[in-house]
Amino acid sequence: MKRFDWYDEIHRLDAEADARRITFILGAHEFPWDMSQALGLALYRTYAVPSIGGLLGDTEEFTDRTQHRYDDTALLLGQMLQHGFEPGRGRDALRRMNQMHRSYDISNDDYLYVLSTFVVMPPRWLNDWGFGWRRLSEHEIRANTNYYRDLGRHMGIKEIPGTYEEFCTLMDGYEREHFGYTEGGRAVSDSTLELMLTFSPPWQRPLMKKFTTALLDDRLTEAFRYEPATPFWKGAVRFALKARAKVVRFMPPRVEPRTEEDNPNIKSYPEGFDPNRIGTFPTKCPVPHDLKTVEVSGSRDRVPAPGEALPPEQRASARQGAQQGERG
């Protein structure tokens, strides 16, 4: 393959009918690392909305089980993007996510805001901030927007914007109006940043903490009451990420997709997982009959017990396969 073969493939596809396929190519082939960073920052922004950050803090999932919550979120969203919303793993992931969300009193406005961050942050990371090895085209931005509009409809979200520009207006306006400090939001933010540091070797972590916080804009640092990064660190981060982009531009294209299952930072399910069996099971949330759960300390939610991410029959075959691999 040549460097721009995926670009050419994307532009032979339709931005509406093939929106999921285009978004998958962007995330799994063209910009796997960048999309992961941009979407991670998108989710992180939502903690600064008191109604969202406070709820997440109350569940204690993002503070007591940060790694699991990080993994569950990435894996469920990834299954939908990889498999679509038709019957199968993608629809199972969608149903699991909707079950969790509908157990809480979440407003349509908050849903819309979270959706807008997924639409807006990848183009801002790649285009506006210049961190991508190439820019997204209007065709690609439209397809990414259409995919998340479709996801929003499957989540039952109402009054979804029709264009990328409308999503930008919604996101920026919502942040100006709603960003603010809560103890729960700050606790979730602290736990998330601490988890991010574990993805680096111990000797790098003091530098990575400064690097990570330098990515936060003034609106975020004010909402979480963090000390703003110095101009030196903000400049260093921009320089490093733009230098990385220049190097990536001359690398060969990624032929095999890089999905969430390939991400070494996702550690909770080394034997594999069934989308129906991960995440939280709040009160009144249906639980698979053969799934053993345990209660989360300090909340009413239940979560799968260790080793329960696969049904019993798949669990046995997965362990057998792992043992054969070790012997081989």
Side-chain angles (χ1 to χ4, degrees), residues 2 4 13 29-31 33 42 50 94 97 102 123 132 147 154 210 223 226 234 254-255 257 262 276 284 298 318 328:
K2 297 179 181 178
F4 281 84
L13 298 171
H29 292 279
E30 288 285 73
F31 306 101
W33 186 83
L94 172 68
M97 184 177 70
R102 288 169 183 166
Y147 170 72
H154 280 87
K210 292 181 177 294
Y226 286 147
K234 288 187 175 182
R254 181 177 291 277
V255 177
D262 304 315
N276 293 296
K284 299 181 181 179

Side-chain angles (χ1 to χ4, degrees), residues 67-68 70-71 75 195 198-200 205 263-271:
Q67 179 74 61
H68 271 85
Y70 170 87
D71 294 352
L75 290 171
L195 175 66
T198 68
F199 300 158
S200 303
R205 290 174 189 174
N263 185 345
N265 296 329
I266 295 178
K267 307 171 183 177
S268 299
Y269 311 109
E271 296 179 347

Side-chain angles (χ1 to χ4, degrees), residues 101-174:
H101 287 163
R102 288 169 183 166
S103 298
Y104 303 103
D105 185 18
I106 304 173
S107 70
N108 190 70
D109 286 347
D110 279 353
Y111 276 124
L112 277 174
Y113 167 65
V114 175
L115 189 67
S116 75
T117 66
F118 279 76
V119 171
V120 173
M121 291 309 297
R124 287 198 173 167
W125 178 280
L126 296 166
N127 288 16
D128 298 355
W129 301 345
F131 297 158
W133 68 268
R134 67 169 176 84
R135 294 175 59 84
L136 291 176
S137 68
E138 290 298 319
H139 179 76
E140 291 167 324
I141 293 174
R142 189 162 62 252
N144 184 70
T145 302
N146 286 334
Y147 170 72
Y148 284 107
R149 293 185 73 241
D150 196 23
L151 172 59
R153 287 191 291 269
H154 280 87
M155 293 174 64
I157 302 176
K158 301 176 179 62
E159 301 176 6
I160 299 173
T163 66
Y164 172 73
E165 290 74 20
E166 290 173 352
F167 272 108
C168 289
T169 300
L170 186 155
M171 187 184 104
D172 292 335
Y174 207 74

Side-chain angles (χ1 to χ4, degrees), residues 228-242:
T230 64
F232 168 81
W233 275 104
K234 288 187 175 182
V237 166
R238 288 194 297 269
F239 175 82
L241 290 173
K242 289 184 178 183

Side-chain angles (χ1 to χ4, degrees), residues 205-254:
R205 290 174 189 174
L207 291 177
M208 288 307 299
K209 186 169 186 178
K210 292 181 177 294
F211 191 96
T212 302
T213 53
L215 280 171
L216 308 183
D217 56 56
D218 293 343
R219 199 180 290 168
L220 275 175
T221 54
E222 290 173 8
F224 293 129
R225 297 182 182 174
Y226 286 147
E227 187 72 25
T230 64
F232 168 81
W233 275 104
K234 288 187 175 182
V237 166
R238 288 194 297 269
F239 175 82
L241 290 173
K242 289 184 178 183
R244 175 193 172 275
K246 293 182 183 297
V247 172
V248 173
R249 184 178 180 86
F250 292 98
M251 295 173 64
R254 181 177 291 277

Side-chain angles (χ1 to χ4, degrees), residues 11 14 22 45 53 66 75 79-80 101 103 122 152 173 180 186 195 199 201-202 233 255 269 275 279 291 297 308:
H11 289 80
D14 185 85
I22 292 172
R45 300 187 75 83
T66 313
L75 290 171
Q79 291 294 289
M80 287 180 265
H101 287 163
S103 298
R186 171 63 185 259
L195 175 66
F199 300 158
W233 275 104
V255 177
Y269 311 109
L291 176 65
S297 174
E308 291 287 318

